[in-house]
Amino acid sequence: RLTARQRRGDDTDIIGWNSGLSACHGDALWVEALRILGATADIDSGPNIVTYNSAITACHQAKEWFAAVKLLQDARRQQLRTESTTFLCAAAACTSEAWEMTLGLLQQSGEQNQALVCGQFDIAMTACAANDSSWQI
């Protein structure tokens, strides 16, 4: 739960906001996660990459791949230093409905010299398997 100060938007501690975002994982609370993310724009420190990662994860868990990709784009537009986790969460959100987007995001992660993690290969294989047409590794 957010404190009264957080709801008013006068809490400058981004850690508290990030905790609120983490509570939105699961249970289709992705809309609330977006609302919290929007509120962080009004605080002194503003959202950081952890804030975006939490919101992207909430969208992923709610199977809202388009929102997850848009959040990744927003983070990059704000010149936040994206991490392999950022791409991984956004790519995972796309696996079943937008498998080509999944592969594109994983490629972008590699182009930005992000460290490869085992999860990226798993997500790539899941995305390809979800595609009805034939594919090759």
Side-chain angles (χ1 to χ4, degrees), residues 1 9 17 46 85-86 112 114 129-131 136:
R1 286 198 157 188
W17 288 94
T85 303
T86 313
Q112 289 193 355
Q114 301 289 339
N131 178 21
Q136 295 179 2

Side-chain angles (χ1 to χ4, degrees), residues 6-25:
Q6 288 173 319
R7 283 192 296 274
R8 285 194 311 268
D10 60 358
D11 190 342
T12 58
D13 183 10
I14 194 65
I15 296 170
W17 288 94
N18 290 346
S19 296
L21 270 167
S22 293
C24 294
H25 295 178

